[in-house]
Amino acid sequence: MQYEAPESVEAAVRLLSGGGPRGRVLAGGTDLLVQLRAGVITPQLVVDIKRIRESREIREEDGMLVVGAAVTGAELGEHARAKSMWPGVVESAELIGSTQIQGRASLGGNLCNASPAADTVPALVAAAAECRVAGPNGMRRVPVEDVCTGPGQLSLGDGEFIVAFELAAPPPGSADAYLRFIPRTEMDIAVVGAGVNLSLDESGRCTAARVALGAVAPTVILAEEAGAALVGTECDDSAMEAMVAAVRAACRPIDDKRGTAEYRTKVAGVLATRAARIAATRAREAR
Amino acid sequence: MAAQNGGTTNGGTRWIGTRPVRPDGVDKVTGRARFGADLHLPNMLVGKVLRSPHAHARIRSIDTSAALALPGVKAIVTRDDFDDLPSEFVPAGEMLINYRDVVRNVMAREKALFEGHPLAAVAATSEKVAKEALDLIRVDYEVLPHVLDIDEAIAPDAPLLHEDMITAGVEPPPSAPSNVAKVVEFAHGDVEAGFAEADVVVEREFSTQPVHQGYIEPHSCVASFAEDGQAELWCTTQGHFVVRGHCAKLLGMEVSKLRVTASEIGGGFGGKTVVYLEPLALALSRKSGHPVKMTMSREEVFRASGPAPGTWARVRVGVTKDGRITAGEAELKYQAGAFQGSPVQPGCMCAFAPYDLEHVKVTGYDVVVNRPKVAAYRAPGAPQSEYAVESIIDELAKRIGMDPVELRLKNAAREGTRAAYGPTFGPIGLVETLEAARSHEHYRAPLAPGRGRGVASGFWFNIGGETCATLNLGEDGTIALVAGTPDIGGSRAALCLQTAEALGVDVEKIRPLIGDTSTLGYTFLTGGSRTAFASGLAVIEASKDMIGQLCERAAKIWNIPVDAVEWADGEARPAGANAGEFDPLTLADLAGVAGKTGGPIVGRAQINAQGAGPSFGTHLVDVDVDRETGRVTIERYTVIQDAGKAVHPSYVEGQLQGGAVQGIGWALNEEYVYDEYGRLQNPGFLDYRIPVCSDVPMIDTVIVEVANPTHPYGVRGVGETPIVPPMAAIANAVEGALGIRFTDLPMSPPRVLKALEEAHIPEAAD
């Protein structure tokens, strides 16, 4: 196995599109290294992106937050500006693994592991985050929800990798939140995850809402009708009920060792409600 | 966490009950301690096991030729490398095993009986080569239908694991084979007459899932066979003498030719009382001429090492309006795994042990299924049966409007009670734990709305057994203590303290080690909560032996009769008519001149420890339940247990806390998930959910001390009882919170949510 740690985006693209065997991108490695050691994957090339500056830093560009794909959960959690702009995205990253894992686990790795249960992905989708994807034809932007096409499946082309995530400056009166359900309190994989991002006007009426769900379909899903159920309301109980109905209608889960389809569908509604309430409270406080 | 003196001890106050730093502590916190996988030898090979992908299959043939041809492969062993053994039952921990089955469990013969059953083992120059070789072994299977659960296994047309197994314990013996290995019964009195006296009778069925011991350290060993037929084995085990016996039997060796050394052990809980890799590593080493190291992956630990049995129980208990339990009856069915020998017998014996019952009847069934053979797990058999009984006791208390602690106190076993399983109890501490529970602040604390509080008691026998110890006196008066029981729960500290007390010397002057099988006489394993008690008795006996020699030396120096010398506070003093005539001689004084007064001084003991005092505990727990997700949160937990005498209270508290936490996992989340082919879907700690630290509150402990009269300091075993009460205590607390009684474990979120929906429980007021 060949291991490379290029120091520029261009060098990484060259390695990944070199015409040789398809390489795997290494960020924190909390999934990739485990799969390597378990013999689940046997890549011939591993390209470590942790020496690429753009992949390792958190920056603000014209009010927009840009988070490198290999920035760790711990770094994101200690970034005051990130936390105040996108508390839901930050809390989703901080939920992953243990303190030790937090020193490695990244947004880019979490997305590209392409698990439907990835914690940061519903939060990023709810936040309408976009990926900066580098490739042989230069840089392009891809909405997070378009990256995964199924468990373990990515839409990225040959030689492409995610360099960073763009999170727009939230409008006034906006906030996000993420909740997941696990039977334990930590060190577990989401049975269900729910990210909600909403905006309230001065009267407390919801003007925009995005609801994204994890572990209830082959990929993280953006439940557009669930978000629509909140828009125009004051996020009161009846609006929440309508949102829950839309959430449950959007769920297409399976029975597996982590939970039944029936349980996931029910709890998706519960978590979406709780996350929406947290987001609404944060949005009011943000005003 | 102050110890409450609920009785009197027979003496000993200077060192017993203190909390010195454990002698093995520094090595363990610095990483210096050598665990099973930490030994490396020159020219060592790596051994790996090929395991059955099928839950049940006849093995037509095994072809290892392609694997043997792979460069780097030095030896392969299969069923052909082990002689068949006749049926012979021997003790393994607190359970019995049959050598005919052990030889088949370590290496499948006629059939693979569970997914993960070993079929071949390879020794190669690297792990990579060994794994490649496994892929080259061709096994021709005839896949058979399998049974995973008791209901399937006892169905009339069930596939049979062992076509020749006739149920034992039934008269007349059945004519046809079945998956029921054995039926046992314990009874006295007349249960129907007892139920006739009852005002309220409750009968319910319960089920529990198999649970793994969850030790952090996987099984691991290094075997090295020499050309002259002598062998050494290093392994992580609870009992290296037991390992020696099993391996010698399986390999056709004399025990004196096999020296077994126990490494430090990263948890066992009963699961390291049997052999898995050890005979394979020895066979591979014998065949290859190299040392061979074998270590299981976590996945292998889950697929192929013994869990505690899944069980089914039907329990019926009657009570009068004023709270007298009139009769108890139970029918228990325990999964044995692929070979007979579940702990259903101790399960039967423990079921009603906390109560003074005139009429009791318990019937148990040992049922084989296509899962790994069960192994001992902390009070093997007891948690499952006592969970069922303690749930019903709680329900009866509610039905007659009596406080559940009060009902238990009214019926509690005490000194002189004829135990439900036969013998009469000596001094025991159940009443004291119940009284401590009743007066504990936890029991009286106001309960937040929506929460529930549960209480349950538990019992375990504890054992003694064959035990040796040696105290080697150094020339400066310090002592090397050699014990034969691997230290799992702080026993080295407990043995040093008992030695210090018996000799009257500073505990820091005693350095303990666990001797290998050639340094001591046969010593039974660390299990049955026996080590602080039985190895404790052995070091006390060895101390007395040494004191006798020390007094002889002093008598010789002073030229007075030996019976005119007394030993007190760590020194020899002239006594009687000679009192005060000579200056006392300390241990160091006598050690320094030992060469001139008769030679080295060594205290020895070889005993068969009898009179292990039974142990009782009572647990209190508060739970909160998320009505929308079904998640149960443990908000507060208190363990109250009789330790007889806590030698090192910190390690007693650790045992009580650890048992409670394992019980919490058993109650709430732990279960094996199999697919339709009998293949385990969650062989790892990610999806086999033992609690993590943040899942549990700090577990409070109260140590009650009702002295065990057969031990000089009153010691009872403490390690196992604490896993017995949690499941019922938590189920009783959940019932208190929701009004729903859970009779099937685990009380996992999907199950709780489903039950809530079926019961239409309104949301708790905030």
Side-chain angles (χ1 to χ4, degrees):
Chain A
M1 188 187 81
Q2 184 189 352
Y3 168 84
E4 298 288 347
E7 296 185 358
S8 71
V9 170
E10 297 72 25
V13 168
R14 270 198 304 277
L15 282 161
L16 289 165
S17 55
R22 174 121 199 210
R24 291 294 297 253
V25 177
L26 172 68
T30 60
D31 287 307
L32 190 80
L33 297 185
V34 174
Q35 291 165 11
L36 261 177
R37 294 199 55 164
V40 175
I41 54 167
T42 48
Q44 287 171 283
L45 170 67
V46 169
V47 178
D48 186 342
I49 60 167
K50 285 195 290 296
R51 291 191 190 168
I52 301 170
R53 188 176 49 83
E54 294 90 327
S55 295
R56 286 284 300 124
E57 65 183 13
I58 305 173
R59 271 203 317 262
E60 276 187 81
E61 293 178 9
D62 307 326
M64 179 169 67
L65 190 70
V66 181
V67 182
V71 166
T72 68
E75 289 164 336
L76 199 55
E78 287 176 3
H79 199 276
R81 188 77 185 121
K83 279 173 85 167
S84 71
M85 286 173 76
W86 292 103
V89 170
V90 175
E91 70 198 356
S92 74
E94 288 188 297
L95 281 176
I96 297 172
S98 59
T99 301
Q100 292 92 327
I101 295 294
Q102 279 291 306
R104 286 274 158 179
S106 66
L107 296 184
N110 198 223
L111 176 59
C112 293
N113 185 51
S115 160
D119 281 308
T120 62
V121 180
L124 288 167
V125 169
E130 293 196 320
C131 305
R132 285 184 181 172
V133 176
N137 303 320
M139 199 76 85
R140 65 184 180 112
R141 275 181 188 71
V142 182
V144 169
E145 57 267 36
D146 292 344
V147 173
C148 299
T149 55
Q153 308 283 316
L154 299 180
S155 63
L156 299 185
D158 246 8
E160 286 193 324
F161 78 102
I162 297 173
V163 180
F165 294 84
E166 291 182 355
L167 287 148
S174 299
D176 69 335
Y178 175 76
L179 290 174
R180 69 168 179 191
F181 183 83
I182 55 172
R184 285 190 286 223
T185 45
E186 59 179 359
M187 303 290 289
D188 216 330
I189 303 276
V191 176
V192 182
V196 176
N197 171 31
L198 50 76
S199 304
L200 304 180
D201 66 16
E202 280 168 14
S203 68
R205 189 177 307 277
C206 180
T207 56
R210 283 167 70 91
V211 177
L213 304 167
V216 292
T219 63
V220 167
I221 52 175
L222 177 63
E224 290 183 41
E225 286 168 15
L230 295 178
V231 174
T233 76
E234 292 183 347
C235 298
D236 48 27
D237 288 351
S238 62
M240 289 291 187
E241 273 175 38
M243 180 202 64
V244 166
V247 162
R248 289 183 176 151
C251 291
R252 287 172 284 122
I254 54 166
D255 287 332
D256 72 2
K257 62 193 173 189
R258 298 196 177 115
T260 61
E262 183 191 3
Y263 182 76
R264 287 185 155 121
T265 304
K266 279 177 200 149
V267 174
V270 173
L271 292 193
T273 306
R274 291 179 182 180
R277 290 208 172 107
I278 295 168
T281 303
R282 284 175 179 165
R284 281 180 212 113
E285 284 166 359
R287 272 210 170 270
Chain B
M1 294 193 200
Q4 297 183 349
N5 200 343
T8 55
T9 56
N10 301 358
T13 52
R14 187 176 164 202
W15 294 105
I16 302 293
T18 62
R19 303 172 186 246
V21 169
R22 62 195 292 163
D24 49 314
V26 170
D27 281 359
K28 284 183 175 159
V29 299
T30 56
R32 195 170 277 110
R34 279 163 295 174
F35 289 88
D38 288 333
L39 184 76
H40 302 273
L41 294 180
N43 303 316
M44 189 170 80
L45 304 177
V46 177
K48 297 301 290 180
V49 177
L50 179 70
R51 296 179 184 278
S52 171
H54 304 294
H56 194 191
R58 200 170 303 283
I59 303 160
R60 292 199 190 104
S61 65
I62 302 174
D63 177 1
T64 60
S65 54
L68 269 172
L70 187 70
V73 172
K74 300 295 184 186
I76 297 179
V77 293
T78 65
R79 54 190 178 179
D80 298 335
D81 294 87
F82 294 90
D83 290 336
D84 201 357
L85 292 172
S87 185
E88 179 189 352
F89 285 90
V90 293
E94 295 147 304
M95 310 194 348
L96 285 177
I97 58 168
N98 185 340
Y99 276 134
R100 182 183 178 277
D101 294 339
V102 175
V103 73
R104 281 167 173 75
N105 194 40
V106 301
M107 189 64 85
R109 291 183 89 81
E110 301 84 3
K111 296 205 287 187
L113 292 166
F114 58 94
E115 186 221 9
H117 201 159
L119 298 161
V122 174
T125 48
S126 73
E127 183 166 344
K128 186 165 176 286
V129 173
K131 283 181 170 171
E132 283 170 20
L134 295 184
D135 291 339
L136 295 173
I137 297 173
R138 295 281 160 261
V139 183
D140 184 15
Y141 300 98
E142 176 194 349
V143 178
L144 302 169
H146 65 278
V147 289
L148 287 177
D149 295 318
I150 289 166
D151 286 348
E152 294 168 11
I154 63 176
D157 53 350
L160 296 176
L161 276 77
H162 308 281
E163 289 87 355
D164 58 351
M165 198 165 76
I166 301 290
T167 307
V170 179
E171 285 304 329
S175 56
S178 74
N179 289 321
V180 180
K182 186 172 73 168
V183 179
V184 293
E185 186 179 297
F186 294 85
H188 61 73
D190 175 349
V191 286
E192 289 313 323
F195 286 122
E197 292 170 31
D199 295 309
V200 179
V201 175
V202 169
E203 177 177 331
R204 281 187 184 275
E205 291 180 8
F206 297 84
S207 70
T208 70
Q209 293 297 312
V211 290
H212 197 269
Q213 295 83 353
Y215 32 83
I216 297 299
E217 180 200 27
H219 298 271
S220 186
C221 66
V222 177
S224 181
F225 238 97
E227 287 71 10
D228 60 0
Q230 313 275 334
E232 294 184 62
L233 177 68
W234 294 262
C235 60
T236 173
T237 177
Q238 292 176 236
H240 41 311
F241 289 87
V242 170
V243 167
R244 181 184 66 173
H246 294 345
C247 289
K249 191 83 179 176
L250 266 56
L251 284 121
M253 300 172 70
E254 293 169 358
V255 294
S256 61
K257 287 191 175 160
L258 175 58
R259 182 154 70 98
V260 184
T261 305
S263 70
E264 291 295 335
I265 177 169
F269 311 107
K272 288 180 183 160
T273 57
V274 286
V275 293
Y276 296 110
L277 299 175
E278 295 83 356
L280 309 185
L282 281 163
L284 286 169
S285 179
R286 183 162 65 182
K287 211 164 178 177
S288 67
H290 290 267
V292 174
K293 180 175 185 171
M294 299 184 81
T295 303
M296 283 194 196
S297 66
R298 178 70 57 200
E299 191 177 319
E300 288 179 292
V301 170
F302 273 103
R303 289 195 202 283
S305 70
T311 65
W312 174 92
R314 185 187 54 77
V315 176
R316 184 182 175 210
V317 183
V319 68
T320 61
K321 270 186 259 180
D322 60 352
R324 184 173 63 87
I325 299 175
T326 60
E329 185 182 32
E331 184 185 350
L332 307 172
K333 292 174 183 161
Y334 280 38
Q335 295 173 3
F339 299 95
Q340 67 175 292
S342 77
V344 70
Q345 183 154 326
C348 289
M349 294 164 79
C350 291
F352 291 105
Y355 301 104
D356 184 354
L357 294 184
E358 201 181 334
H359 307 292
V360 58
K361 182 179 171 189
V362 187
T363 313
Y365 297 80
D366 186 30
V367 183
V368 294
V369 293
N370 293 111
R371 295 174 183 255
K373 167 80 172 77
V374 300
Y377 181 18
R378 224 169 177 163
Q384 299 94 328
S385 64
E386 296 190 55
Y387 154 65
V389 171
E390 288 296 290
S391 295
I392 288 194
I393 297 291
D394 190 69
E395 187 168 353
L396 287 170
K398 287 209 166 75
R399 292 275 295 275
I400 62 170
M402 186 176 279
D403 175 90
V405 171
E406 220 45 63
L407 177 61
R408 287 179 172 85
L409 271 170
K410 261 184 181 293
N411 296 279
R414 54 192 81 213
E415 185 170 3
T417 296
R418 184 184 175 193
Y421 61 94
T424 300
F425 284 125
I428 51 172
L430 175 59
V431 167
E432 287 77 0
T433 68
L434 286 163
E435 285 172 345
R438 188 172 53 181
S439 60
H440 196 281
E441 185 271 330
H442 182 174
Y443 200 56
R444 289 174 285 129
L447 205 51
R451 291 191 183 176
R453 176 168 296 153
V455 56
S457 295
F459 160 85
W460 183 248
F461 313 92
N462 298 334
I463 62 170
E466 296 147 279
T467 312
C468 296
T470 304
L471 300 173
N472 297 310
L473 182 60
E475 57 271 32
D476 58 357
T478 58
I479 291 167
L481 183 162
V482 186
T485 40
D487 180 359
I488 303 188
S491 62
R492 271 174 291 206
L495 299 183
C496 288
L497 285 166
Q498 293 183 72
T499 306
E501 193 72 57
L503 283 174
V505 303
D506 190 322
V507 73
E508 298 295 331
K509 302 290 183 198
I510 304 163
R511 187 69 198 167
L513 70 87
I514 308 304
D516 67 47
T517 53
S518 298
T519 59
L520 288 172
Y522 183 86
T523 298
F524 194 54
L525 49 74
T526 293
S529 301
R530 76 179 209 95
T531 300
F533 167 74
S535 277
L537 283 179
V539 297
I540 293 166
E541 284 300 310
S543 299
K544 285 184 193 162
D545 182 31
M546 179 176 280
I547 288 169
Q549 297 169 48
L550 292 164
C551 288
E552 280 172 19
R553 304 300 172 90
K556 209 169 186 177
I557 292 167
W558 291 329
N559 198 21
I560 61 174
V562 67
D563 55 10
V565 179
E566 66 171 11
W567 186 264
D569 294 334
E571 57 186 26
R573 294 172 185 163
N578 301 300
E581 206 164 310
F582 307 101
D583 287 338
L585 290 166
T586 64
L587 191 66
D589 294 338
L590 290 163
V593 297
K596 296 173 191 159
T597 60
I601 296 172
V602 177
R604 288 198 174 84
Q606 44 273 327
I607 62 170
N608 193 0
Q610 303 292 320
S615 159
F616 289 89
T618 298
H619 292 200
L620 302 174
V621 58
D622 294 355
V623 303
D624 201 357
V625 184
D626 184 331
R627 269 81 170 160
E628 291 182 321
T629 64
R631 170 211 271 284
V632 176
T633 302
I634 307 294
E635 297 288 350
R636 186 172 181 185
Y637 204 108
T638 304
V639 180
I640 303 154
Q641 189 174 312
D642 174 20
K645 179 70 193 174
V647 177
H648 192 305
S650 298
Y651 302 144
V652 173
E653 289 157 5
Q655 291 287 344
L656 307 194
Q657 293 167 327
V661 171
Q662 288 186 314
I664 290 169
W666 199 332
L668 296 183
N669 278 310
E670 293 181 37
E671 62 182 323
Y672 284 60
V673 181
Y674 281 91
D675 71 8
E676 61 185 301
Y677 305 105
R679 292 185 301 222
L680 187 61
Q681 298 300 293
N682 58 336
F685 284 138
L686 180 59
D687 291 308
Y688 179 87
R689 295 187 174 96
I690 66 173
V692 298
C693 281
S694 52
D695 290 345
V696 293
M698 188 65 189
I699 310 284
D700 288 329
T701 57
V702 177
I703 300 170
V704 167
E705 296 185 324
V706 176
N708 174 9
T710 59
H711 185 285
Y713 309 126
V715 171
R716 295 174 194 273
V718 295
E720 291 168 290
T721 299
I723 202 173
V724 180
M727 285 67 85
I730 294 166
N732 295 342
V734 170
E735 198 279 339
L738 303 179
I740 301 173
R741 178 155 296 283
F742 283 86
T743 54
D744 301 302
L745 297 183
M747 293 175 275
S748 57
R751 281 206 177 137
V752 172
L753 189 63
K754 198 165 184 66
L756 276 163
E757 283 169 353
E758 284 164 6
H760 303 293
I761 299 296
E763 286 218 21
D766 283 330

